[in-house]
Amino acid sequence: MADLILIPVLLFGVILGLYELILIHRDESFRGSHWLGHGLHAIFFMIIALFATMNTEFFLEVTGLLGSGIPLISNVLLVRIAVGIILNIKMHATSAVIKGGGLAARGMAEHWTHTIIVSALVVIAPYIWPFIAPLVPSYLGGLA
């Protein structure tokens, strides 16, 4: 049975949340208090998305859906990809609200590139964690 993963989720959540904040939302040209508020928002939702992707197998096993044969729901990779798509939509919806009707300073193409990179990192996080875990101290959920 798969284990529930918590500490690595928080570690990746802070790292990817800051990545989202710095790289993606610099396109929005933040000023003043928006920086802190949006930073907390980005990290909070990143942790939720990573919790979903890194614990997909655990929850599918607990609910009995892993071997149920139900298309889309019983496939771990498809569930993780769905979480990535939802996260991507959430990031674009947030940036649309924050822009205040103006276009991003760097253009939408780069903004799409950044959100796809972040979403892909969230989807592949469970697959790269076994390679990173030996380098991370045990008090952070690693194996070192």
Side-chain angles (χ1 to χ4, degrees):
M1 181 166 184
D3 294 326
L4 186 65
I5 301 172
L6 295 175
I7 303 288
V9 167
L10 296 174
L11 178 68
F12 279 175
V14 170
I15 292 169
L16 289 178
L18 290 174
Y19 179 79
E20 176 189 350
L21 177 67
I22 292 167
L23 291 181
I24 296 171
H25 294 294
R26 74 178 169 180
D27 293 344
E28 319 304 333
S29 302
F30 281 149
R31 289 186 295 279
S33 64
H34 287 91
W35 184 256
L36 177 64
H38 193 71
L40 296 174
H41 172 264
I43 291 171
F44 176 74
F45 280 100
M46 193 61 62
I47 289 171
I48 290 172
L50 282 162
F51 184 79
T53 59
M54 292 187 79
N55 291 299
T56 303
E57 287 182 40
F58 175 79
F59 285 108
L60 290 178
E61 283 180 8
V62 167
T63 58
L65 292 172
L66 189 58
S68 68
I70 300 173
L72 303 178
I73 295 176
S74 62
N75 187 321
V76 174
L77 180 59
L78 290 179
V79 171
R80 288 176 176 157
I81 290 171
V83 170
I85 291 170
I86 291 168
L87 179 66
N88 201 313
I89 292 168
K90 177 253 162 219
M91 286 188 282
H92 279 282
T94 302
S95 70
V97 170
I98 291 171
K99 280 184 215 170
L103 291 175
R106 295 183 172 253
M108 291 305 288
E110 187 166 350
H111 185 71
W112 274 102
T113 303
H114 286 155
T115 59
I116 289 171
I117 289 170
V118 171
S119 297
L121 287 171
V122 169
V123 171
I124 66 169
Y127 303 109
I128 62 173
W129 174 245
F131 299 105
I132 297 173
L135 307 172
V136 177
S138 60
Y139 61 87
L140 290 176
L143 302 174

